[in-house]
Amino acid sequence: MITMKILTQLAIVFGICLVGECISAILPFTFPSSVIGMIILFLLMLVKIIKERHIKDVSQFMLKNMAFFFIPVAVSIMDNITYLQGHIMVFLLICIVILLITVLYQQFAFRTG
């Protein structure tokens, strides 16, 4: 029974990702499909079509293992390091600023909520 619940939650998340991919493919301009998928999920949760319980277990699993999902990105950056030559300091500055914003946001979010 739990296996079916997790498979259903995965199907919901991957289905939304697939819709985001399809929308991104037909747009006349470049827009990340992952962002489209997040917007769709947000809107579906906002109008209560999808409730938190519909994706809770899969979402918690993904959050707990988030570092694992960034391995392909890190490998891709290392593989394409030649494109960053001459811009390494700007890239590192952006990474540090984003890290600080994230840490500050988490500190603020945990204090208020």
Side-chain angles (χ1 to χ4, degrees):
M1 190 65 172
I2 287 188
T3 304
M4 197 62 183
K5 179 180 174 183
I6 291 174
L7 288 175
T8 303
Q9 291 181 11
L10 270 173
I12 291 169
V13 171
F14 287 149
I16 291 170
C17 289
L18 180 62
V19 171
E21 288 282 342
C22 293
I23 291 172
S24 178
I26 62 172
L27 286 176
F29 51 89
T30 304
F31 198 82
S33 60
S34 57
V35 174
I36 295 171
M38 285 189 288
I39 292 169
I40 292 169
L41 180 60
F42 173 73
L43 293 173
L44 289 172
M45 292 182 79
L46 190 66
V47 295
K48 308 270 193 231
I49 293 173
I50 293 180
K51 295 178 176 51
E52 180 186 347
R53 64 183 166 85
H54 292 141
I55 59 170
K56 185 176 183 178
D57 296 328
V58 169
S59 299
Q60 286 178 345
F61 171 80
M62 288 182 179
L63 285 172
K64 287 178 185 173
N65 297 292
M66 190 178 293
F68 175 75
F69 297 113
F70 281 100
I71 291 173
V73 175
V75 171
S76 178
I77 289 171
M78 289 187 297
D79 195 35
N80 295 302
I81 197 74
T82 56
Y83 296 114
L84 290 174
Q85 287 178 343
H87 305 286
I88 295 288
M89 294 309 292
V90 174
F91 179 74
L92 289 175
L93 179 66
I94 291 169
C95 290
I96 291 169
V97 169
I98 290 173
L99 175 69
L100 291 174
I101 291 171
T102 303
V103 169
L104 290 173
Y105 173 77
Q106 286 181 343
Q107 291 296 321
F108 177 74
F110 286 128
R111 285 186 186 155
T112 60

